[in-house]
Structure formats: structure tokens, C-alpha cells
Amino acid sequence: MALADLAVSIYQQFTALSLVQQILLVIGTPFVYNIVWQLYYSTRKDRVPLVWNWVPWLGSAVPYGMQPYEFFESCRSKYGDVFAFVLLGKVMTVYLGPKGHEFVLNSKLAEVSAEEAYKHLTTPVFGKGVIYDCPNVRLMEQKKFAKYALTKESFINYVPKIRAEILDYFKTSEEFDMANRESGVANVMKTQPEITIFTASRSLMGDQMRKLFDASFAQLYSDLDKGFTPINFVFPNLPLPQYYKRDAAQQKISSTYMKLINQRRETGDIDPKRDLIDSLMAHSTYKDGVKMTDQEIANLLIGVLMGGQHTSAATSAWFLLHLAEKPDLQEELYTEVMSVLGPKGGKLEDLSYEDLQKMPLVTNTIKETLRMHMPLHSIFRKVMKPLVVPNTKYVVPVGHHVLVSPGYAQTNERYFPDPFRFDPHRWDTEGAAGGDDATVDYGFGAVSKGVSSPYLPFGGGRHRCIGEQFAYVQLGTILATYVYNLSWSFKAGEKVPDVDYQSMVTLPLEPAEISWVKRETCVL
Ligand code: X2N
């Protein structure tokens, strides 16, 4: 019987059914298919064990989306460190622990692709031609170009600007209004995103750009920021207002950046050591001679600022909340900061880059915050060539994804005792475990060759974050400036909020408020 006849006879049988039977058939078929497919899949000895799921497409989205680390731990108890689950129509292969970090982050360029995993999430927000909307070899050079603005020399110039922005925010913001108030309550989920964007734009983009963030820009930036959401993984573009606003914001912001670039070029006002814009204007010609266009430079600026925004805002919110619960730790930090700044004789607000290097507890407080609250709880790669899981008979097929989660290891008692205890002193003895120092250079500087550490808050391999040093300068200046100006605590009965795993980064659930009081050494 020809295919056409078969189709016709199926159609006739279908229409012969009652409406209820038809609906049950249409809805039931995917469920039946999903069960049959999983049963077949479970017979494949060359496949990673698949977490059973009853709902087609959604798969294990709910338990994973709500509590990824608990989901992983429950899967590990059944399947071990290597297992796969369905997430919104995609098959994700997870390899937990340091071996999993090595497996995913050091996979060959031809085997796995970050751009295939992330381009729909980031390109609509950052713009075209940069980061994940270009071949990896281009991204490696874009990271090299950006790193010219992330040198020690750069940081020495950034610290005074970052500090000035924080003090200005303490004085003029409605959240603190320290010009008129000695104490108050601050919502860290409002203060930290603002302090983060002001300090990052002032240091990385220069004074003129910072001024932009006061006027109309704030609304534009908010429209763009709202477009940077995990929903883009599934629906990168929909004919809805928030998508149009995102795209309009991307165009207006990038054209503003291009105008500024032209201004500096025309007036010859380019100082390669001043900020990220200058660095990119001075260094943006690829090795093969191709130059980045101004649009691409503007788009890279948007990407770098956006990446640093969500991660730093979340991390500083978290350390403020943990310190609100630990007044003794706050006092220890105050003693450390005063021991460095006090004898300088100068006014307290002369915090410098060199001073930050003499504040190990400030550094370890940030390090401990990143251990407990890794901003990205899951890192993805798309499999482009069949991927053998080492020392197993498993092959991850093309089209599946691999998922690595250093955040899981960082909060697991197998690797860190008492993992949910916020204790920066756990790092005091860390110097010994320096680990192997072998490095490799993917085109943007030396990075650690091995990535089998349980602690990788900035990832590893060719996609390792270039923002680590800037993050410590920005967050260290924020923490030190908070500590010498005010002390803060929770109101009676309040504690560190639970984690929201469904946003772009792991955020504290609101309300997330601290009660602050000026210290006698407050400079405002
Ligand atoms: C539907 C609960 O909610 O079941 F930005 F220059 C700039 C960002 C990667 C986020 C992964 C999963 C959320 C499931 C919700 C630059 C600084 C970058 C690096 C399921 C029912 C961008 C994945 C978000 C999992 C949360 C990767 C970032 N350094 N920034 N079901 O960014 O690095 C940059 C790089 C990522 C995530 C999630 C669900 C360079 C639900 C209920 C619902 N996450 N997410 N960056 N989920 N449900 C960045 C690389 C790139």
C-alpha cells in the first residue's frame, strides 16, 4: 500500500474517532512516545544512563530548575557521577566533580561548542559579531584585546574611581542618603546592582560614559538587562514588547558607544592605558589583519559589562548578607581594614590597589562567597562530535549537550567540609594546596592547564573568565569601603535568604535587607 494510501487511511480512522478520543490520542501520543523512547534508550549500553521522566520535552526541568545541586545529588545516588537528563527538549549529560570539570572544560574545540550552547542567549543582548556570535578563534582574540584594560596598572587607576562611586552612592542614593542619615535599612538587591554598574562603567568605560548612566540611559540599560534572561535559551526572539525593547536598547546603547568612540578618535583622545574603550580602540585588529568594526567593539563592551554586572552584583549582595549574620567576622574585617588604612595617616578614603593586597581576609571573604554562591550554577557546551566519556563505554552523541557544575562540587561535603558554613578562614591554610602550576595559552594569556580542581568559580580552559582580577578589585573595594564606613546586621529573626536558581545568576531571594549604622570612622 503506497504511503499516500496509508496516510489517507490513518486520517480516515482518526476523523472516525470521537472528539474526546481524538484529543486523548493527540495528547497521549507524545507521552507514550516519551516512555517508549526511554525504554529503548535504556537498552543502549553505549549511552549515559538517562534520568527517568514522565513529561515529554519538559523532562526534569522542574526539579533541576528549582534546586539544581539537590537534583544532581539525588541523580548521583542513583546513577553515579555521570548521568543524562532531559531539559526543555534537550538531552544534557552531566559529569559531576573534578573529573567532570576536566571532561567538559578541557574537551577539544572540535568536540564541544560554547557558541552553539550560548549564542541564542547572548547575541540578542550583546549584538552581532562578538563573543558567541563568531568563531572561537575570534573570541580568543577578543579576550586578549579586553585584557589590555585588565592589567595591574589599570587596577591601580580603577580603585580610586570605584571607591569614589561607592562613597557617592552612600551619600546621594535614596537607599543610604548618608548625607542626612546615621542609620537605615538597605535592600542589597537594589543597592548592589546600582553600585556594580556605577563602579564598572566609571572604571572600565571612563567618566563620560558613567555620566550617561544617570540620564535616559538607566531605562535603556534596564530594558537591555531584562532581555538577558534564561528564557532566551528557549525563546531567543518572540514578537513581544520586552523583546522589541531589548533590541531597541541594544541598538541605542551600542550607537551611543560608537558615537563616543568616534569622538575620542576625532579629538585624538585615546590613552591606551585609561579604560576598556581606549584599549579596544588601540587593540582590535585580529592576527589575520581583519579589524573589529566600531559596532563590534561597542557590542563587546556591552557583553563584558553585562557579564560582569550580574556576577559582581550577586556576589556583593551575598557577602553583605552573610556578614549581616556574622558580626564577629565584620569586626575582624574592620580590624584588618583599619590596620592597613589607619596608619596611612591620610584620610580613610585613600584606599588603594596596594592596600587591597594587604587585606587577606577581604580577599578570602570574596573567595568564600564565590565558593558558596558560584554565579553560574551550570555551564553548557553543545556536542559537535561524538564524545567518549573517559574510562567508560559511554559515547555522548552529536546534538546532545554536556553540563559542568563547579558550583555543585563547591557546595558538596565530599570536597568542602561543612559546605554550607560561610567561613572565609577555611582558606587560610589554602596556600599549601596550590596544585600543579602547568599553564596553557589559548590566545589571551596563560591559564591553568588542569581544571580538575573542585573550586572553579571562574571556570577553566579556553573559555575561562578574564574578569577574575577585575572582580576581586571591584568587590574588594566595595567590601572594604562598606566595612570602614558602616556596620550592618539583620533585624531580629532574619537570616541569609534562600537561593533563586532560576535567574541568570544564583541570586538571594527577596526580601534581602540589611540594617546599617554609620561607624565612627565613616567619612561621610
Ligand atoms: C520552565 C522551575 O526555571 O521548572 F555574560 F562577555 C558576557 C548564564 C549560562 C546563565 C547558564 C536553567 C534557569 C533552568 C531556569 C561575556 C560573567 C558571559 C560569565 C528550568 C519551568 C554568558 C543556566 C541560568 C541554567 C539559569 C553563559 C556569563 N562571566 N558573566 N525549568 O551564561 O558566560 C557573559 C561570558 C549563562 C546560565 C536555568 C531553568 C562572556 C526553570 C521551573 C521552570 N544558567 N539556568 N558570564 N528552569 N524551569 C557569560 C557564558 C555565558
Side-chain angles (χ1 to χ4, degrees):
M1 190 187 335
L3 206 59
D5 303 348
L6 179 67
V8 166
S9 81
I10 287 173
Y11 175 72
Q12 282 165 345
Q13 289 172 47
F14 183 75
T15 45
L17 296 170
S18 73
L19 179 63
V20 167
Q21 285 171 325
Q22 287 179 359
I23 289 169
L24 286 175
L25 196 65
V26 167
I27 291 177
T29 306
F31 280 82
V32 170
Y33 174 78
N34 182 46
I35 289 165
V36 170
W37 178 72
Q38 290 183 81
L39 291 173
Y40 155 71
Y41 195 87
S42 67
T43 65
R44 294 284 302 265
K45 292 297 164 238
D46 61 338
R47 289 285 181 262
V48 171
L50 182 71
V51 175
W52 181 265
N53 68 83
W54 290 104
V55 185
W57 192 73
L58 210 56
S60 310
V62 175
Y64 166 73
M66 306 288 270
Q67 288 291 343
Y69 301 149
E70 289 177 14
F71 172 66
F72 292 156
E73 192 60 20
S74 81
C75 294
R76 192 181 73 83
S77 60
K78 290 177 213 144
Y79 308 97
D81 281 337
V82 189
F83 53 86
F85 70 96
V86 172
L87 171 64
L88 307 180
K90 297 182 168 79
V91 181
M92 318 297 286
T93 292
V94 182
Y95 193 154
L96 297 174
K99 289 205 181 77
H101 304 171
E102 188 69 35
F103 172 60
V104 176
L105 298 173
N106 269 351
S107 272
K108 298 273 171 296
L109 182 58
E111 293 171 328
V112 297
S113 166
E115 56 272 21
E116 283 304 315
Y118 295 144
K119 66 184 178 185
H120 299 305
L121 168 80
T122 56
T123 306
V125 179
F126 302 169
K128 295 193 171 314
V130 293
I131 309 185
Y132 302 112
D133 187 52
C134 60
N136 183 266
V137 65
R138 290 291 195 235
L139 170 60
M140 296 300 105
E141 289 206 74
Q142 288 157 25
K143 291 171 78 168
K144 174 184 62 181
F145 298 151
K147 278 188 73 175
Y148 283 102
L150 302 174
T151 64
K152 179 183 169 186
E153 210 173 350
S154 317
F155 300 144
I156 288 170
N157 295 327
Y158 294 163
V159 171
K161 293 175 176 237
I162 293 170
R163 187 195 59 232
E165 285 298 327
I166 301 162
L167 293 177
D168 183 52
Y169 188 83
F170 281 166
K171 195 160 63 182
T172 60
S173 73
E174 58 191 62
E175 280 295 302
F176 286 107
D177 185 23
M178 285 192 195
N180 305 313
R181 298 177 37 196
E182 299 303 303
S183 66
V185 175
N187 169 13
V188 298
M189 288 302 290
K190 180 166 174 9
T191 60
Q192 294 323 107
E194 292 181 332
I195 288 177
T196 302
I197 191 60
F198 292 155
T199 53
S201 55
R202 175 79 184 274
S203 52
L204 291 173
M205 315 273 284
D207 305 357
Q208 314 117 303
M209 280 312 301
R210 163 66 187 91
K211 286 194 190 63
L212 267 170
F213 276 94
D214 282 337
S216 65
F217 224 66
Q219 181 54 50
L220 270 182
Y221 197 79
S222 162
D223 290 347
L224 187 67
D225 193 64
K226 288 197 182 78
F228 194 48
T229 156
I231 297 165
N232 287 355
F233 275 119
V234 193
F235 304 115
N237 292 298
L238 290 177
L240 295 174
Q242 66 261 39
Y243 286 85
Y244 297 133
K245 281 190 195 170
R246 171 198 74 189
D247 298 343
Q250 195 285 332
Q251 313 233 319
K252 289 188 191 126
I253 292 171
S254 62
S255 64
T256 305
Y257 289 176
M258 285 189 282
K259 221 178 294 162
L260 189 101
I261 289 170
N262 280 319
Q263 231 171 11
R264 289 194 184 183
R265 195 177 281 136
E266 269 144 32
T267 58
D269 171 21
I270 301 182
D271 166 4
K273 298 209 175 313
R274 177 175 44 183
D275 56 38
L276 182 58
I277 297 180
D278 287 323
S279 295
L280 291 179
M281 288 169 72
H283 308 282
S284 47
T285 303
Y286 295 116
K287 275 188 295 201
D288 61 7
V290 172
K291 282 183 186 302
M292 286 181 77
T293 65
D294 285 358
Q295 179 69 60
E296 287 163 348
I297 291 174
N299 294 350
L300 183 56
L301 286 166
I302 292 175
V304 169
L305 266 287
M306 187 66 79
Q309 172 66 21
H310 288 259
T311 45
S312 278
T315 305
S316 55
W318 279 117
F319 65 53
L320 291 176
L321 292 163
H322 279 290
L323 289 173
E325 203 175 54
K326 293 180 173 291
D328 300 354
L329 199 47
Q330 251 185 81
E331 281 313 307
E332 259 193 277
L333 280 163
Y334 182 69
T335 306
E336 177 176 271
V337 171
M338 292 313 289
S339 73
V340 175
L341 293 188
K344 275 183 77 172
K347 285 186 298 170
L348 261 180
E349 67 263 32
D350 291 349
L351 177 73
S352 71
Y353 174 77
E354 286 79 9
D355 294 333
L356 286 175
Q357 312 318 308
K358 301 173 199 155
M359 298 179 183
L361 188 55
V362 166
T363 300
N364 283 343
T365 298
I366 296 164
K367 189 165 188 172
E368 178 70 345
T369 309
L370 287 167
R371 178 191 68 78
M372 283 186 76
H373 304 286
M374 174 147 184
L376 305 179
H377 64 67
S378 301
I379 292 171
F380 305 134
R381 299 285 184 270
K382 186 163 187 176
V383 177
M384 310 304 280
K385 276 169 81 174
L387 197 55
V388 177
V389 181
N391 310 319
T392 71
K393 47 191 178 318
Y394 300 141
V395 178
V396 184
V398 171
H400 285 200
H401 285 77
V402 285
L403 184 158
V404 63
S405 173
Y408 162 83
Q410 292 170 195
T411 53
N412 188 281
E413 77 267 359
R414 282 187 290 155
Y415 308 100
F416 292 95
D418 202 355
F420 298 106
R421 179 162 176 272
F422 185 78
D423 176 20
H425 289 296
R426 74 169 69 229
W427 298 104
D428 292 352
T429 56
E430 184 258 356
D436 61 322
D437 319 3
T439 63
V440 59
D441 187 336
Y442 294 100
F444 58 93
V447 295
S448 161
K449 187 168 167 48
V451 286
S452 54
S453 160
Y455 183 78
L456 295 174
F458 295 92
R462 66 176 58 249
H463 289 279
R464 194 192 194 285
C465 181
I466 58 170
E468 175 170 7
Q469 291 72 27
F470 178 81
Y472 271 90
V473 167
Q474 183 188 39
L475 294 168
T477 305
I478 291 171
L479 178 52
T481 306
Y482 262 85
V483 162
Y484 75 71
N485 282 291
L486 41 103
S487 63
W488 62 95
S489 60
F490 280 132
K491 293 197 203 94
E494 288 176 354
K495 61 180 189 51
V496 177
D498 287 340
V499 184
D500 166 13
Y501 289 101
Q502 297 176 58
S503 302
M504 280 308 283
V505 291
T506 52
L507 289 177
L509 283 167
E510 298 197 50
E513 296 183 333
I514 56 173
S515 303
W516 58 272
V517 178
K518 274 182 184 174
R519 283 185 182 271
E520 74 284 357
T521 46
C522 183
V523 297
L524 293 168

